[in-house]
Amino acid sequence: MFLNRAIRGTSINGLGVCSRWIHQSFKRDAVSESNVISSVKKQHLKRNPKSNRSIKRNRYNDLKIRVEKDVIESLEMNKKSGLRSPHDRYSRLKIKFDPRFEGSFKDFGVSTRLDRQLSEKLHINQPTDTQRRILSILCSDLSVLAVSSQRSGNSTCLLLYALSMKGRSLLLAPTTLAVLQLQKLCHSLEVEGVAFLYRSSEEEELNQGKQLDLKTPKVIVATPQRMLDLISEKKSDPLFMNLHELNFLGVDDADMQLLNDNKKVVHERPAQILINYIIKLKETVTSNKNSQPLQFGFIETLDISNKLLNMIKENKWNASRTLLPIGLLAKGDVLARARINQSASLSIVISDSKKVLDLKLPPLSSGMEVLSKIRSPIGREFDENAKKHLTSQLQNDKTLSQFISAEVSDALSAVSMKLKTKKSLLICPDSITVRTIMEQLTALGYSSKQLSSSTTNFFNDENEQSQFLISTPSQLPGVNLEGLTSVICLGLHALKDSKTLVLIAGKSQSPHVTLILSKSKTTMVERFMIERMLLKSGVANLTPLIGETDDYDEKAYQELFSDIHGDNSS
């Protein structure tokens, strides 16, 4: 009954059609037949004056609409809580733009000037599918939680909306490199009135503060840590930066910025502290009832659960303005949830003092069989203990001063010979300084550079002669590396978990990811950790690189982990 009341009388621009449009590229069946509504009115689609393309109106007569359960539950929750705001028209949600319309950026609310600059300066004429969906919702005065793959233009989309909308905005980026890339984009588009805040040298941070003192920017692009630094410095002036006037708050890579990897960690992340501070500040300072409620744009790229959506509901960030979650998948569909690039290939090599081989693992499960293997209580307990095992192993490792051991060096040489590319992204653990790795590579005869704002074009630079671009996992979120085709991870500590694998695989259109392991440090426990990592990320097959696999006691392996494998163990 509620569904009928919520959608009855709504035009073709209504919630139901939006849900189908927005989700049509995600393969899932998360709703029952009872949620299918037909007989939708015609929509008057405008034409694109440039391409003169349009969609026939009569296509939409009697169109069956699938309404996502998460959206309906969100609306029901708002209705039950009695939240009736003039800005939250939950009973008649309307989407301003048709996400299927293949028009230009200005057809989705972006200013004409920005649309022209995108075309002339960057040769970008149309938004991606993900950008159309996000802009359609944000321009309809709704908040959005968008789950999408990397390289979909998510960061650019949030920036373009912030620059085009009325009012002030804050965009939270996961890393300093991500802020600098958005700064470079603004310079290319000749955009003014944007402040870029990030931790840097004392001189640069003083300059950032001076710019804020001179003029309050329309858009602030910052890391959460830097924002908290500035707020702490100006405790006597809580209205510094006029955060109480914000109309839009975008969080790029929100799962990386808001969620804790360790479930037992209870402290709040910097982004969460900042968001709650801004909401409280708006409630305290703003007394005008007609003031606009804060609009959110959350982008999620790595997490394969609904943790972020649950966090948003628990913190009531969707209380004053309806939030539409798009791209969320059916519960239990583990492999389909994975955000890993399906065109990516993964190889694992293991080396001892004699030779380099491909790592051998039991056949990986597919489909729903994965559930019993990775979601059982004993399996989760294993994951927690595995993290502690890796941490203690790295802390007790006496070879940190010579991290690239003879075994790893031999494997790196063999991998470099097998790979067709001359340049690779080399991932090392966060706990080891990049300078240490560079010094060891130099001693072995390899040339390398560190990932920074000046080396993001490393793989497309024809004059660049270095073989490796070195980075840690924590530097990668929000960074685009055009031309990347090969990634090499030095040890299991560099890969860490399934999220890191998804992050690395999403940095290129079709990357070849190679994990190098040392035979002396790879036990059956490490093998099983790798197996669970692959299952969680959705990798069902490994690509042989060397051509000969190593040998291990498969029977003992199966017996050791039979309780975690469950009844469906191979």
Side-chain angles (χ1 to χ4, degrees), residues 339-361:
R339 305 256 68 85
I340 197 162
N341 191 333
Q342 294 301 312
S343 61
S345 57
L346 176 66
S347 301
I348 304 177
V349 300
I350 186 168
S351 174
D352 58 17
S353 57
K354 298 180 180 179
K355 53 185 176 181
V356 180
L357 302 169
D358 290 311
L359 184 75
K360 186 177 182 181
L361 289 174

Side-chain angles (χ1 to χ4, degrees), residues 429-447:
D430 285 307
S431 55
I432 301 177
T433 63
V434 173
R435 184 174 297 276
T436 299
I437 300 296
M438 292 180 66
E439 291 174 353
Q440 294 180 27
L441 287 174
T442 301
L444 294 172
Y446 297 106
S447 57

Side-chain angles (χ1 to χ4, degrees), residues 92-161:
R92 286 178 60 85
L93 288 176
K94 292 185 178 181
I95 303 302
K96 190 173 182 180
F97 302 112
D98 176 5
R100 294 173 299 183
F101 181 62
E102 296 182 0
S104 61
F105 278 94
K106 70 178 181 180
D107 293 322
F108 290 90
V110 176
S111 69
T112 303
R113 179 182 178 279
L114 284 175
D115 179 69
R116 183 176 63 253
Q117 291 291 82
L118 283 168
S119 178
E120 294 177 357
K121 304 291 184 181
L122 303 178
H123 307 292
I124 301 175
N125 299 314
Q126 290 184 336
T128 64
D129 291 343
T130 299
Q131 289 174 332
R132 292 200 299 265
R133 295 180 180 99
I134 295 174
L135 288 172
S136 296
I137 294 179
L138 291 179
C139 290
S140 304
D141 293 328
L142 302 169
S143 295
V144 65
L145 166 60
V147 181
S148 66
S149 60
Q150 300 178 80
R151 299 174 57 83
S152 300
N154 302 316
S155 306
T156 303
C157 182
L158 292 180
L159 179 62
L160 292 176
Y161 175 72

Side-chain angles (χ1 to χ4, degrees), residues 25 61 74 94 134 186 188 220 243 246 250 289 293 355 364 428 434-435 450 513 531 541:
S25 67
N61 288 338
S74 177
K94 292 185 178 181
I134 295 174
C186 285
S188 300
I220 298 176
L243 295 179
L246 285 179
K289 295 182 179 180
K355 53 185 176 181
L364 298 177
C428 61
V434 173
R435 184 174 297 276
Q450 182 176 354
V513 181
E531 180 183 344
N541 296 297

